[in-house]
Amino acid sequence: MFGIGGGELLFIIFIALMLFGSDKIPEIARTLGKVMAQLKNATNEIKSEIQKGADANGIDTSLKDLTSSFSSEVEKVKEGLDSNLTNPVQKATQDIEDLTGPIKRQL
């Protein structure tokens, strides 16, 4: 949870209790819960409006087609690079192993 451990969480709760007192903590928690719910509802409404606009203009299907074709092209380039780079890298690795072989044995 945001990189906060159990001990740190207890320390934060203790400090909040010292600052606000035990009477205000439930009220603050309720207010934070309401704010988080309103924020979640607002983001869901924005997402649905964007989705409706994209569906109305036909953007959604063209975007999926574009991303799939882009992904396939990227995969082709990766395969080409892997096949072109594998042999020289393996050769260089073998050359280094051949050169350092006697040095490693001496150590």
Side-chain angles (χ1 to χ4, degrees), residues 20-32:
F20 300 112
S22 61
D23 297 337
K24 298 276 184 177
I25 296 292
E27 183 180 324
I28 292 170
R30 265 186 245 112
T31 305
L32 282 174

Side-chain angles (χ1 to χ4, degrees), residues 6-58:
E8 294 165 340
L9 188 60
L10 285 175
F11 183 71
I12 291 170
I13 291 171
F14 177 73
I15 296 297
L17 189 62
M18 295 297 289
L19 288 175
F20 300 112
S22 61
D23 297 337
K24 298 276 184 177
I25 296 292
E27 183 180 324
I28 292 170
R30 265 186 245 112
T31 305
L32 282 174
K34 289 178 184 177
V35 168
M36 294 299 287
Q38 289 175 353
L39 183 64
K40 183 178 178 182
N41 289 338
T43 56
N44 286 338
E45 287 177 14
I46 291 170
K47 286 179 186 178
S48 67
E49 288 296 321
I50 291 172
Q51 188 64 37
K52 286 178 187 176
D55 290 342
N57 293 325

Side-chain angles (χ1 to χ4, degrees), residues 71-87:
S71 297
S72 65
E73 290 298 322
V74 168
E75 288 301 319
K76 288 178 186 176
V77 170
K78 282 182 181 178
E79 289 172 4
L81 286 176
D82 286 343
S83 64
N84 290 337
L85 292 177
T86 303
N87 293 336

Side-chain angles (χ1 to χ4, degrees), residues 88-99:
V89 169
Q90 287 176 348
K91 185 177 183 284
T93 304
Q94 186 62 37
D95 290 343
I96 290 172
E97 287 295 322
D98 291 343
L99 289 174

